[in-house]
Amino acid sequence: MIKKANDLFGKINVYHVEQGKKRVEIYIRLDQRVENMRVGIAIDGSASMMSLFAANIPKLFRQPGANVMEPVVRHLSRYICDYSGDGTVSLLYWAVGTGGREIEPISTFNSTQTSQIPVDGPNQQVWGTGTKLLPALNHFLSQFKDADWTILLFISDGVLEDFEEIKKRAMEVGNEIVAGTRKHCKFIMIGIGEADEKQLQELDDMFDGTQLGTNHGIDLWDCKLASNMDQLSDIWNEVDFGITLPGTARILDSKHQLLQNYVDGIPQRMEFYVNEHESAVTIEIAGQVIVQSLAGEYDDK
């Protein structure tokens, strides 16, 4: 993990050296509400998730903290409420019922209610016997059809059984955005436990090299693997919403060579390459000069 030199930054990723270079991503932390942004969280309610909710232990015998999902979902929901346009977040369980084809809406909560969100797993439907994501995606797309920004977080621990249908629907959404019939969208898939890393990567890259991606900048999916629950609650800090912030920024190496120059706005995710031996960069942004260390544990991507 890279230590942040300034609270302006969210997550900082430094990736393994390739051809004498390191690739660096610096996410700018959003610190205010995004107008007319609606946010939904869809929690995997399939049978394989039962142990994370401690649902396989009678409530009378559960030890405090046995339900590891509840504090994480509450924390994530509370955090998101500070950024959603109306200060709320909508939750549901997906992959419930026979074949995992159903959803079970929980409710919509504001920040003062998030500490009491019941996160015990589905109670109107049985735990799912499959993992079908499309019903949850379509539910939120319908619910938030008039939003300027639709942000959807999906939590899953398994293989998406309707993977091809999900990709097809995402392509349709991309075309809707280009046609002007739908506003901005970002879908965040967070894989935990036995989540299929190959599927996550394919979703993340599905618009690369396509007409929608190349000509229109469509990049709907941001897929992450969370190896533990702490990472799950922090995932919001490394989401690229595709937002361009006003202002200018310059990034320089230790020899004051220009690595990146943003003159017409600053992307929320800044990306640049540095020499493999560079241990820090200087970032001129928002009237500040920040020396950011690149030392720490590197990522694999």
Side-chain angles (χ1 to χ4, degrees):
M1 180 178 293
I2 308 298
K3 184 178 180 180
K4 295 176 292 184
N6 193 288
D7 288 339
L8 177 68
F9 303 141
K11 184 75 180 291
I12 299 173
N13 296 322
V14 179
Y15 295 104
H16 285 297
V17 174
E18 291 183 3
Q19 299 179 343
K21 297 285 186 179
K22 293 183 288 194
R23 183 168 69 87
V24 183
E25 295 176 333
I26 298 179
Y27 292 83
I28 298 175
R29 183 194 299 273
L30 296 179
D31 61 357
Q32 61 186 24
R33 295 195 190 283
V34 178
E35 186 175 355
N36 201 20
M37 173 190 281
R38 299 295 305 278
V39 184
I41 299 178
I43 308 163
D44 190 339
S46 62
S48 60
M49 291 283 291
M50 290 180 67
S51 62
L52 294 177
F53 292 88
N56 51 347
I57 304 172
K59 284 189 176 183
L60 187 62
F61 297 96
R62 289 181 197 171
Q63 296 296 316
N67 180 351
V68 296
M69 288 300 296
E70 186 169 78
V72 170
V73 171
R74 287 177 174 179
H75 172 79
L76 190 59
S77 298
R78 172 65 184 85
Y79 188 73
I80 287 172
C81 283
D82 289 339
Y83 300 95
S84 67
D86 63 354
T88 68
V89 60
S90 297
L91 274 67
L92 61 76
Y93 294 110
W94 66 280
V96 299
T98 303
R101 299 182 181 89
E102 307 298 330
I103 63 170
E104 182 178 313
I106 302 173
S107 190
T108 297
F109 303 91
N110 61 35
S111 60
T112 60
Q113 298 169 325
T114 54
S115 63
Q116 301 300 318
I117 295 176
V119 190
D120 295 316
N123 56 56
Q124 298 173 14
Q125 299 270 358
V126 298
W127 292 88
T129 56
T131 48
K132 308 291 195 307
L133 184 64
L134 187 60
L137 177 60
N138 282 334
H139 173 86
F140 278 135
L141 287 173
S142 176
Q143 182 179 350
F144 301 153
K145 61 184 176 62
D146 296 323
D148 289 340
W149 271 96
T150 295
I151 308 296
L152 305 180
L153 289 84
F154 302 98
I155 301 172
S156 175
D157 77 335
V159 175
L160 301 178
E161 296 175 352
D162 55 352
F163 187 62
E164 294 303 321
E165 290 90 340
I166 288 295
K167 290 196 298 179
K168 180 181 177 181
R169 184 68 180 106
M171 281 292 182
E172 292 173 353
V173 172
N175 281 308
E176 291 168 5
I177 293 171
V178 171
T181 57
R182 187 180 295 277
K183 301 290 183 62
H184 303 287
C185 293
K186 176 62 72 171
F187 308 147
I188 305 156
M189 174 61 73
I190 307 172
I192 58 177
E194 300 299 320
D196 190 315
E197 186 173 359
K198 183 178 178 181
Q199 278 192 344
L200 295 182
Q201 189 64 56
E202 188 172 340
L203 268 186
D204 198 279
D205 297 337
M206 69 169 286
F207 289 96
D208 291 358
T210 67
Q211 184 176 3
L212 287 173
T214 303
N215 297 342
H216 301 284
I218 299 296
D219 182 20
L220 295 182
W221 288 99
D222 200 346
C223 300
K224 309 289 183 183
L225 275 174
S227 59
N228 56 59
M229 291 298 105
D230 289 336
Q231 285 189 355
L232 178 57
S233 62
D234 290 338
I235 210 79
W236 185 264
N237 286 334
E238 56 174 314
V239 174
D240 179 11
F241 294 105
I243 294 173
T244 299
L245 303 168
T248 63
R250 297 202 312 159
I251 303 173
L252 304 101
D253 64 15
S254 59
K255 297 179 180 179
H256 298 286
Q257 297 292 314
L258 187 64
L259 301 173
Q260 190 62 271
N261 190 23
Y262 299 109
V263 296
D264 295 317
I266 309 166
Q268 188 222 339
R269 182 181 68 90
M270 300 185 293
E271 181 181 30
F272 55 93
Y273 289 83
V274 296
N275 184 282
E276 61 182 312
H277 301 299
E278 288 288 344
S279 60
V281 293
T282 298
I283 304 171
E284 300 173 356
I285 186 172
Q288 303 180 64
V289 178
I290 303 168
V291 177
Q292 174 60 57
S293 171
L294 302 179
E297 183 179 346
Y298 290 178
D299 291 278
D300 295 325
K301 190 174 177 180

